[in-house]
Amino acid sequence: MIDAKQLYAFVITPVLGQLGLNSLAARRLVLGTAMTESALIWLDQRDAGAPVLGPALGLWQMERLTHDDIWTNYLAYRKPLRAKVEGYVMPGVGRWEQLVGNLLYGCAMCRVHYQRRLGAMPDPDDLAALARAWKEHYNTVLGSGTVTDFMNKASTILAFN
């Protein structure tokens, strides 16, 4: 299991800062997403015993269709942001496969997904609002997760600033 404080300090905070998409709410939402989606353990959705819908990969459990759509229909039209995300791509490994072992890239893709889908960030001190943002814009109505799942699994995120 990855320590949430270390993930927040050494991955989420610097990546969001480098992307220019940093705020307390964004950091907490990205951390809460990883805590909820993978419990900071699972790198492959199938290993977690979840039904194979994607499958989803990485701590942020992003599905391939979502991943590829971000590149095709969002980053392709935002060259400065695309260049920043490309800076996290390791040579010799496909982008999709990078979600498993490249924490910087997985974090960046999670944040870009929220940038694309979410209007204004919720109040960073409102756990229920963060949970609703995750459910509506990341897990979606088709996902098996619930707002309560997020609130239970990510209840400590309000301590992260």
Side-chain angles (χ1 to χ4, degrees), residues 105-132:
Y105 180 74
C107 176
M109 290 300 290
C110 175
R111 180 62 182 98
V112 169
H113 180 70
Y114 280 121
Q115 178 68 19
R116 176 185 190 193
R117 301 282 313 270
L118 185 62
M121 275 286 161
D123 179 336
D125 296 319
D126 186 342
L127 183 59
L130 293 165
R132 286 190 301 272

Side-chain angles (χ1 to χ4, degrees), residues 1 6 14-17 32 37 39 45 54 58 73 75 94 96-97 107-108 111 127 133 142-143 149 153:
M1 174 187 250
Q6 290 190 19
V15 167
L16 272 54
E37 291 287 338
Q45 188 177 52
N73 295 308
L75 290 174
W96 161 247
E97 291 80 11
C107 176
R111 180 62 182 98
L127 183 59
L142 299 176
D149 289 337
K153 293 177 182 176

Side-chain angles (χ1 to χ4, degrees), residues 17-150:
Q18 291 167 357
L19 292 176
L21 300 174
N22 193 15
S23 69
L24 180 57
R27 292 190 306 270
R28 287 179 173 175
L29 184 57
V30 169
L31 177 61
T33 299
M35 293 171 84
T36 305
E37 291 287 338
S38 70
L40 302 182
I41 298 172
W42 304 106
L43 298 177
D44 183 330
Q45 188 177 52
R46 293 167 294 192
D47 288 342
V52 178
L53 300 174
L57 295 178
L59 289 184
W60 288 274
Q61 294 290 293
M62 184 172 281
E63 293 185 5
R64 185 168 195 149
L65 289 175
T66 300
H67 173 271
D68 293 351
D69 190 61
I70 289 169
W71 279 100
T72 302
N73 295 308
Y74 190 74
L75 290 174
Y77 302 100
R78 289 157 181 83
K79 290 182 182 182
L81 182 57
R82 182 182 73 207
K84 291 175 184 178
V85 175
E86 284 174 339
Y88 294 114
V89 175
M90 296 181 303
V93 180
R95 289 179 186 157
W96 161 247
E97 291 80 11
Q98 304 235 359
L99 292 172
V100 174
N102 184 339
L103 295 177
L104 303 174
Y105 180 74
C107 176
M109 290 300 290
C110 175
R111 180 62 182 98
V112 169
H113 180 70
Y114 280 121
Q115 178 68 19
R116 176 185 190 193
R117 301 282 313 270
L118 185 62
M121 275 286 161
D123 179 336
D125 296 319
D126 186 342
L127 183 59
L130 293 165
R132 286 190 301 272
W134 163 79
K135 179 60 184 169
E136 183 176 341
H137 300 288
Y138 203 91
N139 186 257
T140 76
V141 295
L142 299 176
S144 62
T146 66
V147 168
T148 302
D149 289 337
F150 184 101

